[in-house]
Amino acid sequence: MYTRKATIAASVGLHARPAAVFVRAVNKTGLPITLAKAGLAPVDGRSLLEVMSADFACGCEVEIGVAAGSHDDSHVRRAIDQLAQLLLTDLTDPA
C-alpha cells in the first residue's frame, strides 16, 4: 500500500487546532488513514484524541498510510499526497 513521509510544520505540532484541522481533512477522504512516527505504532488519523495523544511535535517526521483493506489506489495516493502537503503548512494560522 502507498505511504508517504512528511514533516510536521505546525509550530505546536499536531496539538489542538492543527490536530483538529488535520483530522477533519482525514475524515473528508473517507479512508482509514494512519499516522506513525519511528518507534510507535500507527494511530488512527480519524481520531482527534489518538492524534493529539501521539505527541507529533514540530519537525517530527511521520508516515501517512492507509489501514489494510480494499481501496482505490488512485484515491489513496491523491488523499495521502494532499494530507502530506497539509502537514507541511503551519496549521496554527487561522486564515
Side-chain angles (χ1 to χ4, degrees):
M1 185 58 62
Y2 180 69
T3 62
R4 180 166 171 185
K5 292 188 180 194
T7 301
I8 307 295
S11 57
V12 296
L14 285 184
H15 295 284
R17 179 177 172 71
V21 170
F22 180 76
V23 169
R24 271 194 304 276
V26 167
N27 284 312
K28 285 181 183 178
T29 70
L31 295 168
I33 299 290
T34 60
L35 201 58
K37 68 179 181 179
L40 292 180
V43 299
D44 185 347
R46 301 169 295 185
S47 168
L48 182 59
L49 183 59
E50 285 190 39
V51 170
M52 288 179 59
S53 298
D55 193 30
F56 296 115
C58 180
C60 173
E61 184 177 71
V62 297
E63 185 173 88
I64 307 166
V66 176
S70 178
H71 309 287
D72 173 27
D73 282 343
S74 64
H75 178 57
V76 168
R77 284 181 180 273
R78 193 169 39 257
I80 288 177
D81 288 345
Q82 289 172 347
L83 292 169
Q85 283 302 119
L86 182 62
L87 291 178
L88 294 172
T89 62
D90 187 355
L91 300 174
T92 58
D93 184 8

